[in-house]
């Protein structure tokens, strides 16, 4: 099998895994393979005949004209000419792609018969039933944003209280992976491979209830887990746990032998390094150095630092990547350069295994380690390294080991960034040959990597960081110092911890400088620009443009070399172009126009569809929130936000939705709070998006008004306008009009087009009756409330056609009254976020048997 055939088989396997994105993908890829096997060999033969004729004529003319030397035959071969012409190659490639999709399905995690997730239907409301789950810890505990500790547990036994047996404790063997969170102090001293028992409540993850929200259910499924455990405490009495298991199953007892609660050797080495680096440094400088050296899995960075680095485009700096691998390998080869190649290979492989273990087997590190192993292997055999081929082999091997990595974002970004460095860095360095190589590389490397990962980042996050390349160029010297210094101090700390501490202390100021850069750029206005949801077709179009520029650049380079050889024969130049026009080739433009055309086309692919959607969209979205109700009105490019919720609501619900919709500023913000000060989420929202006009319900002016002054100043500092509102105040929001019927409760009336919405805050039944008796309530087509009790008098005064509750549960008596009056009922706890458009009516985010997907 030649190289071209091997490349085709590797690409076919990867393409087969990608085809699993759709249910019919495996059959489509098989049909494509058959079609290519039939058609492509014929096209290649026809193309080869034309190409051979042209090549023979050109070489004969060269001999006649006595050129210095004939053209090298290898330079005459195009990519198409190098492809295999045997039908069996393409048929096998199609079959291989089909088998790859089947292999992906086989390796996809599925709950076993005794999986712990099967217990949830049996125990009913898992939040009220205490269970004790025993098993083995398979990950290092991590700190969550809520301040709890999270780890993965391979389960073996569960104990629950069976009410039908008089409250007896029932033990049963189970299997499966479990996502566990416990209070932070409970996980202190916990390591991977420890055997423990966790007391808590099982829960089943739900699909995202809001557009753009994190899909926790899919995340767990990809990790091989189908259920979570909200733990209250960890049972450290292992002897008692083992005794309980002995009474159930002797094999399980053998599995849960006491482990001594000691870290493994690799964990002990990691702790030795981290403690050495942290002993003389403060937070966050110390953890940052450890994260740069060993990856974020080795140490918990404060979330505000992580967020700053992500928003500034420096997320790669705190993640394990190929940088660490290349530095370690270069250091080992430098130290062993006097030894034989076999010893260099052995030391290099040992260093790679050690680094992969310390960083936690992340996809990016495994990719770099495989490429490093290939480099060492080529060194021993005295073979030249082909980076592109090595990258393809590394991807294929990793996807053979774990095909699920094809949809792992870290895996995708790592390979795309490396591909960019391989194919884009050399031509860019050639353009900047007038600069010193060290300075040119600082400019070129961020550009080369960013170009190839940007389309994927737009597709996943719908956000682009305009300062990303500039930040990486500015931060490159500090990153270089911290990377090399961090690796050297890690090695010293592993051998002699005090030496590692001294070396890490020298990196204090560079770490502070890098943090300052990340925080400064993350707080600049416009540090992230939302582009809206990017489709798969747009993603394919963007990468097609990048490949066109790349291939076009290679062709121009070959043409330039050929023109230089034939520059003395101007007559032959015209005749050559005429003959080459008969050869099938890619569209050719002047090399000066390829890049500008691609840039303009790429921006148009993203901007034009988003502009068209924004300019024609009228949509009302009621987000599913656990506290304050939140409503978003999008009116042909203008956005109105009613309420914000707390900081977590803004971070995990409001901002992801606005980013997905391509919203970069809020035109109108309305706070309808009735008896509290401004919600804490408004400040968090203002950090990311400017608010042009803010309307504040001024009813609770006696409560916390002084604390609002800081927020008012923040609105005004970003060229926003602040307006207080009173009862009977009216706000014009374009096609929507808002009026405070009662500012104290509050009761707010929305006129959306020709339909009336009514928001009613929480109040007692007596207050509802008084309000209904005043006659201030007008009939409304849509009633929006908190899900608590509503009196018959109030419902009679409003007479809604649709009732929407921003709540997990709805009052049964109120629901019965609404059904009796044939009112359509939605509530966010069951239906998720609700989207309403004039043409389509109401649509729910979550599916349920009672959902009605259209109204009016």
């Amino acid at each position: 099998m030649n190289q071209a055939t091997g490349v085709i088989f590797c690409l076919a396997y990867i393409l087969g895994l990608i085809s699993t994105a759709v249910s019919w993908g495996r059959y489509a890829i098989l049909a494509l393979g058959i079609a290519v096997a039939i058609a492509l060999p014929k096209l290649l033969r026809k193309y080869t005949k034309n190409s051979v004729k042209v090549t023979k004529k050109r070489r004969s003319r060269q001999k006649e004209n006595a050129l210095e030397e004939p053209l090298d035959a290898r330079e005459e071969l195009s990519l198409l000419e190098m492809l295999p012409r045997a039908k069996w190659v393409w048929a096998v490639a199609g079959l291989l792609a089909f088998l790859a999709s089947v292999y992906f399905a086989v390796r996809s995690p599925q709950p076993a018969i005794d999986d712990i997730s099967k217990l949830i239907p049996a125990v009913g409301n898992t939040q009220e039933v205490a269970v004790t789950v025993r098993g083995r810890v398979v990950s290092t505990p991590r700190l969550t944003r809520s301040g709890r500790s999270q780890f993965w547990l391979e389960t073996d036994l569960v104990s629950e209280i069976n009410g039908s047996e008089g409250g007896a404790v029932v033990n049963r063997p189970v299997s499966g992976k479990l996502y566990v969170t416990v209070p932070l102090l409970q996980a202190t001293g916990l390591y991977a491979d420890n055997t423990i028992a966790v007391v808590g409540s099982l829960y089943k993850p739900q699909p995202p209830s809001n557009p753009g929200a994190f899909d926790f259910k899919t995340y767990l499924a990809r990790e091989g887990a189908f259920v979570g455990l909200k733990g209250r405490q960890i049972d450290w009495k292992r002897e008692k746990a083992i005794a309980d298991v002995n009474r159930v199953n002797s094999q399980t007892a053998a599995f849960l032998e006491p482990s001594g609660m000691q870290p493994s050797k690799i964990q002990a080495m990691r702790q030795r390094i981290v403690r050495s680096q942290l002993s003389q440094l403060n937070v966050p400088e110390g953890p940052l150095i450890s994260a740069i050296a060993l990856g974020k899995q080795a140490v918990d960075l404060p979330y505000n630092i992580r967020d700053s680095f992500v928003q500034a485009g420096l997320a790669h700096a705190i993640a394990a990547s190929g940088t660490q691998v290349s530095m370690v390998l270069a250091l080992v080869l430098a130290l062993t350069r006097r030894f034989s190649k076999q010893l260099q290979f052995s030391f290099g492989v040992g260093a790679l295994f050690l680094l992969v273990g310390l960083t936690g087997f992340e996809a990016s590190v495994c990719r770099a380690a495989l490429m490093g192993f290939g480099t060492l292997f080529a060194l021993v055999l005295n073979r030249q390294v082909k980076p592109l081929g090595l990258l393809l082999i590394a991807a294929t091997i990793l996807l053979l080991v774990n095909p699920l990595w094809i949809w792992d974002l870290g895996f995708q970004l790592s390979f795309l960034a490396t591909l960019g460095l391989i194919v884009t860095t050399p031509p860019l360095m050639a353009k900047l040959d007038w600069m010193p190589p060290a300075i040119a590389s600082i400019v070129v490397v961020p550009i080369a990597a960013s170009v190839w990962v940007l389309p994927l980042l737009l597709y996943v996050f719908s956000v682009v960081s305009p300062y990303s390349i500039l930040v990486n160029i500015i931060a490159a010297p500090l990153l270089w110092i911290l990377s090399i210094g961090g690796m050297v101090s890690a090695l010293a700390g592993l051998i002699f911890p005090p030496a590692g501490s001294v070396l890490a202390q020298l990196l204090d100021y560079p770490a502070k400088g890098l943090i300052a850069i990340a925080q400064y750029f993350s707080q600049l206005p416009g540090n992230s620009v939302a582009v809206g949801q990017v489709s798969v077709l747009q993603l394919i179009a963007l990468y097609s443009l990048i490949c066109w520029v790349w291939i076009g650049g290679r062709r121009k380079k070959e043409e330039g070399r050929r023109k230089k050889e034939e520059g003395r024969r101007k007559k032959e130049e015209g005749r050559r172009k005429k003959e080459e026009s008969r050869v099938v080739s890619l569209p050719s433009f002047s090399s000066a126009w390829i890049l500008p055309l691609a840039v303009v086309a790429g921006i148009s692919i993203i901007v034009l569809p988003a502009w068209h959607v924004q300019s024609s969209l009228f949509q009302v979205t009621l987000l599913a929130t656990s506290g304050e109700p939140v409503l978003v009105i999008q009116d042909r490019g203008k956005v109105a936000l009613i309420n914000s919720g707390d900081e977590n609501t803004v971070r995990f619900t409001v901002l992801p939705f606005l980013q997905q919709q391509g919203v970069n500023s809020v035109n109108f913000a309305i706070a309808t709070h009735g008896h509290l000060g401004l919600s804490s989420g408004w400040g968090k929202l203002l950090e990311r998006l400017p608010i042009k006009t803010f309307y504040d319900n001024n009813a609770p002016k006696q409560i916390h008004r002084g604390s609002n002054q800081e927020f008012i100043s923040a609105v005004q500092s970003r060229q926003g306008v602040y307006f207080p509102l009173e009862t009977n105040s009216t706000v014009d929001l374009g096609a929507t009009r808002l009026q405070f019927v009662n500012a104290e409760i509050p009761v707010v009336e929305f006129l959306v087009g020709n339909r009336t919405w009514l928001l009613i805050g929480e109040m007692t039944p007596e207050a509802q009756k008084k309000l209904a008796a005043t006659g201030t309530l007008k009939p409304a087509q849509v009633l929006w409330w908190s899900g608590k009790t509503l009196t018959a008098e109030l419902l009679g005064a409003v007479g809604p056609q649709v009732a929407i509750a921003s709540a997990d549960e709805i009052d049964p008596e109120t629901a019965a009254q609404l059904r009796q009056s044939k009112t359509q009922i939605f509530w966010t706890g069951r239906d998720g976020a609700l989207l309403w458009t004039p043409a389509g009516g109401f649509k729910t985010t979550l599916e349920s048997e009672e959902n009605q997907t259209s109204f009016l």
Side-chain angles (χ1 to χ4, degrees), residues 105 163 181 276 295 317 555 668 674 778 780:
T181 58
S276 171
R555 291 180 67 252
F668 309 101
K778 299 178 182 178

Side-chain angles (χ1 to χ4, degrees), residues 280-333:
Q280 301 295 326
L281 294 172
N282 297 321
V283 176
E285 291 79 15
L288 176 63
I289 294 172
S290 297
I292 291 176
L294 301 177
K296 60 184 178 182
Q297 296 296 328
V299 63
D300 278 323
L301 269 175
Y303 275 99
N304 62 327
I305 299 298
R306 296 190 198 183
D307 293 340
S308 297
F309 273 72
V310 170
Q311 292 171 18
L314 290 170
H316 62 90
I318 55 176
S321 63
T323 303
Q324 291 92 330
V325 175
S326 59
M327 287 184 177
V328 168
L329 196 58
L331 180 62
V332 170
L333 292 178

Side-chain angles (χ1 to χ4, degrees), residues 321-364:
S321 63
T323 303
Q324 291 92 330
V325 175
S326 59
M327 287 184 177
V328 168
L329 196 58
L331 180 62
V332 170
L333 292 178
L335 294 176
T336 59
R337 63 179 181 272
R338 298 180 181 274
F339 300 160
S340 65
K341 292 182 179 180
Q342 289 74 16
L343 281 178
Q344 285 183 308
F345 177 83
S346 301
F347 281 115
V349 170
L352 291 177
F353 273 110
L354 177 61
L355 183 61
V356 170
L358 289 174
T359 54
F361 294 94
E362 293 189 26
S364 57

Side-chain angles (χ1 to χ4, degrees), residues 512-729:
K512 289 180 177 178
L514 185 62
I515 292 172
I517 291 173
Q519 291 179 335
Y520 174 77
F521 281 96
S522 66
Q523 295 171 3
L524 283 180
N527 65 80
S528 62
V529 177
V531 298
Q533 197 166 9
V534 176
S535 68
V536 175
L537 291 178
Q538 289 174 289
L539 180 68
I540 294 173
L542 289 174
Y543 276 114
S544 299
L545 275 176
I546 294 174
C547 292
W548 176 61
V549 173
W550 169 38
I551 296 174
R554 292 185 61 182
R555 291 180 67 252
K556 290 301 176 183
K557 184 178 180 180
E558 293 175 1
E559 288 180 5
R561 186 168 57 248
R562 187 162 58 245
K563 287 179 181 180
K564 185 177 180 180
E565 293 173 352
E566 299 180 358
R568 294 179 299 171
R569 310 293 301 180
K570 293 184 180 180
K571 292 183 180 181
E572 293 295 322
E573 182 70 19
R575 200 180 308 167
R576 181 183 63 80
K577 287 184 178 181
K578 183 177 180 181
E579 291 175 344
E580 284 187 344
S581 64
R582 284 178 277 174
V583 182
V584 179
S585 62
L586 294 171
S588 179
F589 295 92
S590 171
S591 59
W593 286 98
I594 289 181
L595 186 57
L597 283 174
V599 172
V600 172
I603 294 175
S604 301
I605 289 171
I606 296 298
V607 173
L608 292 181
W611 173 81
H612 175 72
V613 170
Q614 291 291 333
S615 61
S616 59
L617 178 66
F618 184 87
Q619 176 178 280
V620 179
T621 306
L622 196 154
L623 298 174
T625 56
S626 57
E628 187 177 44
V630 179
L631 188 76
V632 180
I633 302 174
Q634 296 168 264
D635 181 9
R636 299 171 184 84
K638 293 185 178 180
V639 177
L641 175 64
I642 290 93
N643 297 329
S644 68
D646 57 17
E647 289 190 9
N648 285 333
T649 301
V650 169
R651 180 183 288 114
F652 300 117
T653 302
V654 178
L655 282 175
F657 173 75
L658 296 178
Q659 289 175 357
Q660 186 198 57
Q661 298 296 309
V663 175
N664 291 297
S665 64
V666 176
N667 300 87
F668 309 101
I670 301 99
T672 67
H673 51 79
H675 27 269
L676 295 175
L678 281 173
S679 301
S680 59
W682 288 117
K684 188 67 179 178
L685 180 71
L686 195 61
E687 291 177 4
R688 300 291 300 276
L689 297 177
I691 298 175
K692 296 182 179 179
T693 307
F694 188 88
Y695 295 99
D696 186 9
N697 179 5
N698 203 32
K701 55 187 175 183
Q702 292 84 9
I703 306 175
H704 304 309
R705 292 304 300 165
S707 61
N708 292 350
Q709 189 59 46
E710 183 178 349
F711 175 77
I712 296 172
S713 301
V715 172
Q716 295 172 346
S717 67
R718 303 196 68 176
Q719 287 74 48
V721 182
Y722 176 90
F723 288 107
L725 297 175
E726 302 284 355
T727 298
N728 295 324
S729 296

Side-chain angles (χ1 to χ4, degrees), residues 782-832:
V782 181
L783 173 64
W784 177 22
W785 93 110
S786 65
K788 296 186 178 180
T789 303
L790 293 177
T791 63
E793 290 81 359
L794 188 144
L795 290 175
V798 177
Q801 298 178 20
V802 176
I804 304 174
S806 290
D808 293 333
E809 299 291 340
I810 188 172
D811 176 61
E813 294 183 4
T814 303
Q817 295 181 57
L818 291 169
R819 290 191 180 97
Q820 187 176 1
S821 61
K822 297 182 179 180
T823 301
Q824 192 177 15
I825 306 173
F826 297 100
W827 69 86
T828 56
R830 182 197 69 182
D831 303 317

Side-chain angles (χ1 to χ4, degrees), residues 86-108:
K87 290 185 178 181
W88 70 267
V89 173
W90 301 101
V92 171
L95 180 61
L96 183 62
F98 176 78
L99 293 176
S101 65
V102 175
Y103 177 55
F104 180 90
V106 171
R107 289 291 304 273
S108 296

Side-chain angles (χ1 to χ4, degrees), residues 281-522:
L281 294 172
N282 297 321
V283 176
E285 291 79 15
L288 176 63
I289 294 172
S290 297
I292 291 176
L294 301 177
K296 60 184 178 182
Q297 296 296 328
V299 63
D300 278 323
L301 269 175
Y303 275 99
N304 62 327
I305 299 298
R306 296 190 198 183
D307 293 340
S308 297
F309 273 72
V310 170
Q311 292 171 18
L314 290 170
H316 62 90
I318 55 176
S321 63
T323 303
Q324 291 92 330
V325 175
S326 59
M327 287 184 177
V328 168
L329 196 58
L331 180 62
V332 170
L333 292 178
L335 294 176
T336 59
R337 63 179 181 272
R338 298 180 181 274
F339 300 160
S340 65
K341 292 182 179 180
Q342 289 74 16
L343 281 178
Q344 285 183 308
F345 177 83
S346 301
F347 281 115
V349 170
L352 291 177
F353 273 110
L354 177 61
L355 183 61
V356 170
L358 289 174
T359 54
F361 294 94
E362 293 189 26
S364 57
V365 177
C366 291
R367 184 270 310 160
L370 278 176
M371 294 187 70
F373 177 80
T375 302
L376 291 172
F377 195 70
L379 177 67
V380 173
L381 298 179
N382 288 323
R383 299 286 298 272
Q384 185 178 4
V385 177
K386 297 182 178 179
L388 270 179
L390 202 55
L391 180 65
L392 182 60
I393 293 173
T396 306
I397 292 175
L398 289 179
L399 291 175
L400 283 170
V401 174
N402 185 4
L404 302 180
W405 264 349
I406 192 67
W407 300 120
D408 180 81
L409 183 61
F411 177 90
Q412 296 168 349
L413 292 175
S414 173
F415 276 88
L416 285 172
T418 306
L419 177 62
L421 293 176
I422 292 173
V423 304
T424 309
T425 298
L428 289 180
M429 289 292 290
K431 295 289 184 182
L432 300 179
D433 56 359
W434 51 274
M435 296 177 63
I439 298 177
S441 64
I442 291 176
V443 177
V444 166
V445 169
I447 296 175
S450 298
V451 166
W452 286 84
V453 302
L454 181 59
L456 180 60
L457 293 176
L458 290 175
Y459 176 74
V460 175
F461 298 110
S462 304
V463 174
V464 61
S465 176
Y467 308 133
S468 175
I469 294 178
L470 176 61
V471 172
N472 277 275
I473 293 174
I474 296 174
L478 292 177
L479 274 175
W480 184 79
I481 293 172
L482 289 172
S483 297
I484 295 180
M487 296 302 299
V488 172
S489 68
L491 179 61
L494 188 60
I495 300 172
F496 185 59
S501 300
V502 172
L503 292 174
Q505 195 173 9
L506 299 176
L507 303 175
D508 186 32
Y509 284 106
K512 289 180 177 178
L514 185 62
I515 292 172
I517 291 173
Q519 291 179 335
Y520 174 77
F521 281 96
S522 66

